[in-house]
Amino acid sequence: MRLTVYSDYSLRLLMYLAVRTERLSTIPEVARAYGISVNHLMKVAHQLGQAGYIETVRGRGGGLRLKLPAETIGVGNVVRHTEPDMDIVPCFQPENEECPLRRACSLKIALQRARQAFLAVLDSYSIGDLVAAPEAMRAMLGL
């Protein structure tokens, strides 16, 4: 299974905000710290704000911060929100059930179980867990 860049940026933004709690963060400074596109990050921040994960403060001195405690933001929930399609193979979609093997194939069941296991592992982590060593992360991010 491969996550999209959108999910990667979403998790990285949440992690950054989780270790930068002393003040608001701006999209350009987060983008600079990770070496990623400001434009992509703006889309990510907007969507995470709409989802209720981050809060945006407008105006002079504005920026971003977590809206919820990092320990309450489940990684699995974020991935479910940011991944538009968690279907590993086309036969997961009802309109693609034309496979001639569908009545005797166990591949779909095995892949469904693998996806469930993948998400179950992510569900066992919060953003707070991912930043358990905030000092080291701040140093790596140049904060």
Side-chain angles (χ1 to χ4, degrees), residues 62-133:
L64 311 169
R65 64 178 160 227
L66 290 181
K67 190 171 188 177
L68 305 167
E71 298 75 28
T72 66
I73 301 173
V75 174
N77 289 335
V78 173
V79 169
R80 283 182 186 88
H81 178 77
T82 59
E83 286 298 320
D85 181 6
M86 293 289 291
D87 295 338
I88 299 172
V89 290
C91 65
F92 279 25
Q93 294 290 326
E95 65 270 11
N96 293 328
E97 286 192 352
E98 297 304 318
C99 177
L101 300 175
R102 75 176 181 272
R103 289 193 183 122
C105 181
S106 297
L107 177 61
K108 181 178 177 180
I109 294 167
L111 292 174
Q112 284 172 330
R113 290 184 62 204
R115 177 182 61 183
Q116 290 167 346
F118 175 76
L119 290 168
V121 170
L122 294 181
D123 285 337
S124 70
Y125 290 92
S126 71
I127 295 298
D129 294 327
L130 300 182
V131 297

